[in-house]
Amino acid sequence: MKKNDEKTSIVFLQNGPIQVSGSIQISGQYGEKKTEETIHLCRCGESKNKPYCDGSHKTSGFKG
Ligand code: FES
């Protein structure tokens, strides 16, 4: 259970991934993961390691 003093933040990085920090649970077609780390989720669609960013946005010309 999440404590009241724990915060989760979501930041859309310019022309790059979504940075998520805090207590996170990911589930879906790419499996499940629980973490307390900062992760970067792909939003350009070019990553070879979805749902995570692998840096492909830098060469794909993604703008967002
Ligand atoms: S946002 Fe980085 S690979 Fe898609």
Side-chain angles (χ1 to χ4, degrees):
M1 180 163 221
K2 191 169 182 168
K3 297 176 189 168
N4 288 337
D5 60 345
E6 293 178 2
K7 294 191 171 145
T8 300
S9 70
I10 300 173
V11 179
F12 288 74
L13 301 178
Q14 186 172 12
N15 302 329
I18 302 167
Q19 178 178 288
V20 185
S21 301
S23 180
I24 304 159
Q25 179 173 349
I26 297 173
S27 59
Q29 73 183 79
Y30 301 109
E32 291 206 17
K33 179 177 183 175
K34 277 186 174 180
T35 184
E36 302 278 334
E37 304 169 1
T38 295
I39 61 171
H40 294 87
L41 300 174
C42 176
R43 67 179 176 128
C44 75
E46 299 297 325
S47 175
K48 304 292 185 280
N49 188 32
K50 293 178 182 122
Y52 307 102
C53 172
D54 69 356
S56 294
H57 62 273
K58 295 175 187 171
T59 56
S60 69
F62 175 70
K63 300 287 183 210

